[in-house]
């Protein structure tokens, strides 16, 4: 599940009653808890990471606001819904996904907001990353289209052999996926998956790569730590022209940038700098320090050092030259005096 800027608000210990006249939040036989006391405790309580809860939440709110201002018009509700449905497919559909979310004590709307923030970050990365034609050409040259395979996963070898027999007799692979497969994630797509190198257990990958023609099926169950697989080669990957593959290649390049935390930090820091963030509460003044710090460090200290060294070297050379001249003058004078005598 995609995650970006999720802050968890939790306060430990007992909040003592406040003497102020701020609105009441809760009460016990021992007194009342008011908004100002709650706010003070929440903003100053320190998380395990060392950041205050208040700083953590303020950072999230500011970043959401900055991203919305910069790219909000580029991400629609339809985009978020499509992202949600795409994620849900891995869990058997929207209904099952929403049930899973509820069982984990999460809220669908909050999750969609997190997804929206992730999409906004993708838009920011996409605009910030100015890929040249040479960059795209190089990526295209290194790009390979993976085969598509489908599988049926069962617990025992006998069932796997029975499925292979049914397939050889003309049974529909997708129907058998729905009937037998214990891999619910791929079952939502009739068991189909892109065969990405290194993402599968070795036994599965080796058997899948041994299939040569579209429609070929493994004639022996493939055993792995997950059970027994029956694998089908759905399609052989063929790379199109640069124009045909350009969109996919650019998406892959952006995905690589998103996986580079240092690069993401650079992009977000640039947006924060443009937003002119002002934090009025001194207790929360460090909320954006993680994104404002890089701008402070842009001072070309290292570039100034060689110039200083050069100046020092020139000064030392001049001083040494002057000292040598004085010493030589004194020596010459002494020698002349001795000669005169």
């Amino acid at each position: 599940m995609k995650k970006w800027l999720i802050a968890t608000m939790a306060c430990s210990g007992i909040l003592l009653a406040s003497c102020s006249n701020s609105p009441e939040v809760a009460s016990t036989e021992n007194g009342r808890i008011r908004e100002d006391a709650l706010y003070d405790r929440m903003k100053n309580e320190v998380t395990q990471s060392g950041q205050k809860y208040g700083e953590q939440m303020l950072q999230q709110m500011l970043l959401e606001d900055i991203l919305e201002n910069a790219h909000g018009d580029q991400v629609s509700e339809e985009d978020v819904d499509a992202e949600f449905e795409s994620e849900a497919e891995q869990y058997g559909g929207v209904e099952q996904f929403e049930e899973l979310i509820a069982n984990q004590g999460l809220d669908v709307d909050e999750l969609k907001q997190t997804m929206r923030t992730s999409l906004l970050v993708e838009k920011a990365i996409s605009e910030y990353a100015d890929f040249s034609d040479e960059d795209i050409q190089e990526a295209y040259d290194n790009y390979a289209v993976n085969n598509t395979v489908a599988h049926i996963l069962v617990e025992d070898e006998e069932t796997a052999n029975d499925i292979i027999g049914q397939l050889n007799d003309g049974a529909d692979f997708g129907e058998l996926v729905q009937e037998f497969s214990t891999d619910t994630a791929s079952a939502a797509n009739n068991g189909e998956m892109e065969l990405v190198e290194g993402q599968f257990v070795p036994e599965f990958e080796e058997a899948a790569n041994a299939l040569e023609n579209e429609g070929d099926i493994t004639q022996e169950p493939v055993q792995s730590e997950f059970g027994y697989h029956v694998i089908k080669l759905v399609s052989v990957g063929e790379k199109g022209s640069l124009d045909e593959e350009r969109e996919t290649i650019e998406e892959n390049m952006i995905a690589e940038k998103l996986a580079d935390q240092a690069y993401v930090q650079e992009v977000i820091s640039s947006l924060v700098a443009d937003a002119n963030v002002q934090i009025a509460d001194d207790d929360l003044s460090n909320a954006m320090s993680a994104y404002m710090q890089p701008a402070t460090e842009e001072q070309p200290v290292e570039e100034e050092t060689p110039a200083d060294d050069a100046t020092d070297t020139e000064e030392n050379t001049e001083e040494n030259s002057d000292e040598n001249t004085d010493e030589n003058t004194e020596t010459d004078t002494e020698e002349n005096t001795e000669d005169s005598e």
Side-chain angles (χ1 to χ4, degrees), residues 31-234:
R32 295 178 176 80
I33 298 174
R34 299 189 181 275
E35 281 186 1
D36 60 351
L38 179 63
Y39 173 73
D40 185 69
R41 183 66 174 271
M42 290 175 71
K43 77 173 184 176
N44 288 300
E45 192 84 5
V46 178
T47 68
Q48 292 182 345
S49 66
Q51 190 180 32
K52 298 174 184 176
Y53 283 107
E55 290 175 339
Q56 201 173 67
M57 181 55 73
L58 180 59
Q59 180 188 97
Q60 178 181 344
M61 294 173 69
L62 284 169
L63 288 175
E64 287 176 352
D65 183 67
I66 291 168
L67 287 164
E68 282 289 351
N69 183 63
H71 302 287
D73 59 343
Q74 297 173 279
V75 177
S76 65
E77 290 186 16
E78 289 75 14
D79 294 331
V80 178
D81 289 339
E83 182 76 7
F84 185 84
E85 290 169 9
S86 175
E87 194 71 33
E89 286 182 4
Q90 303 178 46
Y91 300 91
V94 171
E95 186 176 341
Q96 293 87 336
F97 189 41
E98 289 181 346
E99 183 178 347
L100 173 65
I101 293 169
N103 289 338
Q104 292 184 349
L106 302 175
D107 181 82
V108 170
D109 290 337
E110 290 179 358
L111 180 57
K112 284 188 174 182
Q113 177 58 47
T114 300
M115 289 180 170
R116 178 175 179 81
T117 302
S118 295
L119 291 173
L120 290 171
V121 172
E122 289 183 24
K123 291 296 182 184
I125 296 294
S126 178
E127 289 201 4
Y128 192 86
D130 186 16
F131 298 123
S132 66
D133 291 338
E134 290 76 13
D135 294 332
I136 295 173
Q137 180 65 53
E138 182 180 358
Y140 172 77
D141 293 339
N142 296 324
Y143 174 64
V145 179
N146 296 308
N147 292 347
T148 299
V149 297
H151 83 137
I152 302 171
L153 177 64
V154 294
E155 295 181 354
D156 60 275
E157 187 175 11
E158 182 180 353
T159 303
N161 278 316
D162 178 61
I163 290 170
I164 291 172
Q166 292 186 55
L167 290 169
N168 289 336
D169 289 338
D172 183 83
F173 196 94
E175 291 179 0
L176 294 182
V177 168
Q178 303 304 322
E179 183 178 353
F180 291 102
S181 187
T182 60
D183 181 6
T184 55
S186 66
N189 195 35
N190 286 331
E192 294 187 10
M193 303 172 291
E194 185 180 356
L195 187 61
V196 180
E197 184 179 356
Q199 288 193 3
F200 299 88
V201 291
E203 304 90 342
F204 183 99
E205 196 167 300
E206 181 180 355
N209 282 323
L211 299 173
E212 296 180 355
N213 302 309
E214 294 181 358
D216 284 355
I217 297 168
T218 51
Q219 294 301 302
E220 296 290 337
V222 179
Q223 184 178 10
S224 77
E225 60 186 283
F226 301 106
Y228 292 84
H229 307 262
V230 178
I231 307 171
K232 174 184 177 181
L233 178 59
V234 177

Side-chain angles (χ1 to χ4, degrees), residues 217-281:
I217 297 168
T218 51
Q219 294 301 302
E220 296 290 337
V222 179
Q223 184 178 10
S224 77
E225 60 186 283
F226 301 106
Y228 292 84
H229 307 262
V230 178
I231 307 171
K232 174 184 177 181
L233 178 59
V234 177
S235 63
V236 177
E238 294 183 6
K239 183 165 70 171
S241 66
L242 176 57
D243 288 339
E244 293 171 334
E245 301 288 358
R246 189 182 187 97
E247 183 177 349
T248 300
I249 289 171
E250 289 183 359
E251 288 176 356
N252 291 342
M253 294 172 75
I254 290 171
E256 290 180 7
K257 293 294 186 183
L258 282 166
D260 184 346
Q261 290 302 310
Y263 188 84
V264 173
Q265 179 98 358
E266 178 183 335
V267 174
I268 301 301
S269 297
S270 176
L271 291 175
V272 170
D274 292 340
N276 188 28
V277 175
Q278 302 292 325
I279 299 177
D281 192 324

